Amino acid sequence: MASIAYVTNSQMIEYHRINGNRTMNFWRPSYTKKFADFNEGDYLFFLVKTSPRAKEKALTGYGRCVKSHTMNFKQMWETFDKQNGYDTKEALKEAVLKASKSKTLPEKLNCIVLEDVVFFQSPVYLSEVGINVNSNLESYIYLDKEDASVTSRILQIASESGVDMWSLINSEEEEQIDMQEDHLHFAVTQALKQCRT
């Protein structure tokens, strides 16, 4: 099981948070750096700049990958609609153009469908778990590459402040969101993985 922290468009994340979305399409231009090890069931954490003056980006939530595929912009909008993080096709197109290095619509976009999305009540800074990230990081980092307990520590810190109340109130799903359960699941999976090696 892997976890990555991905530098994320804060406007898109805020849209999902405000609307209480527990499922989302996490899109990115397909020519960006490929994941070497990221599969179904793995966690993708949202790494965002919490304010214009913030010196460090912070983790504001995460989701569990259920599938990943590549499609063009039109297919992506028709398939996911507002699960892309924008109210309109035009707003989404503007965001994709902004994310594109060439400032043109990419031929293909990588779509990572995330479920069980959780937003934190308080941001978690990577420095709190002993990770120093270059402020110019443009894509993602593997969280547990050097230390297999990083994701567990992040989930523990986030659990202490809890789930974002606004997203919880606005979620259409009745289920209780329990980060402790994710924390336990991740810890057990990591322990089993270590036993096999």
Side-chain angles (χ1 to χ4, degrees), residues 11-159:
Q11 185 180 354
M12 177 183 74
I13 291 304
E14 189 63 5
Y15 178 89
H16 288 297
R17 185 190 73 80
I18 287 171
N19 288 286
N21 294 342
R22 297 287 324 276
T23 300
M24 64 184 276
N25 175 41
F26 189 92
W27 54 267
R28 63 193 200 116
S30 63
Y31 55 76
T32 53
K33 192 176 174 186
K34 302 280 185 228
F35 296 134
D37 180 26
F38 189 72
N39 304 295
E40 288 180 20
D42 292 346
Y43 293 147
L44 187 148
F45 286 82
F46 314 125
L47 186 61
V48 301
K49 194 164 189 174
T50 54
S51 73
R53 292 185 180 165
K55 293 180 180 176
E56 183 182 355
K57 293 179 179 80
L59 301 173
T60 57
Y62 66 97
R64 184 177 50 83
C65 174
V66 290
K67 61 184 163 182
S68 176
H69 44 263
T70 304
M71 52 181 63
N72 65 37
F73 178 81
K74 183 174 183 274
Q75 292 168 324
M76 185 175 82
W77 176 257
E78 289 172 354
T79 303
F80 299 108
D81 196 69
K82 294 178 183 178
Q83 284 186 338
N84 288 303
Y86 294 88
D87 268 331
T88 65
K89 187 177 180 180
E90 292 71 32
L92 174 62
K93 184 176 181 180
E94 188 177 312
V96 171
L97 287 170
K98 192 174 179 181
S100 171
K101 288 180 182 174
S102 65
K103 302 304 176 207
T104 59
L105 218 78
E107 196 173 304
K108 297 285 183 184
L109 292 137
N110 182 220
C111 300
I112 303 167
V113 180
L114 301 177
E115 287 184 352
D116 305 325
V117 173
V118 176
F119 297 99
F120 304 151
Q121 183 66 31
S122 301
V124 177
Y125 292 91
L126 289 176
S127 58
E128 291 180 75
V129 292
I131 296 179
N132 293 314
V133 177
N134 185 323
S135 60
N136 296 325
L137 177 70
E138 291 183 11
S139 55
Y140 67 94
I141 61 164
Y142 284 95
L143 292 171
D144 299 298
K145 189 173 184 179
E146 305 296 324
D147 178 353
S149 67
V150 170
T151 297
S152 290
R153 292 200 312 269
I154 291 166
L155 292 172
Q156 183 60 48
I157 292 167
S159 293

Side-chain angles (χ1 to χ4, degrees), residues 129-194:
V129 292
I131 296 179
N132 293 314
V133 177
N134 185 323
S135 60
N136 296 325
L137 177 70
E138 291 183 11
S139 55
Y140 67 94
I141 61 164
Y142 284 95
L143 292 171
D144 299 298
K145 189 173 184 179
E146 305 296 324
D147 178 353
S149 67
V150 170
T151 297
S152 290
R153 292 200 312 269
I154 291 166
L155 292 172
Q156 183 60 48
I157 292 167
S159 293
E160 289 167 9
S161 63
V163 176
D164 174 71
M165 292 308 293
W166 181 264
S167 60
L168 195 58
I169 291 166
N170 288 295
S171 176
E172 291 180 7
E173 298 178 32
E174 296 292 321
E175 69 179 295
Q176 186 69 23
I177 299 172
D178 186 0
M179 281 188 281
Q180 285 291 351
E181 190 176 307
D182 285 344
H183 179 213
L184 181 61
H185 178 259
F186 191 86
V188 168
T189 304
Q190 288 298 90
L192 289 170
K193 189 176 176 182
Q194 295 232 334

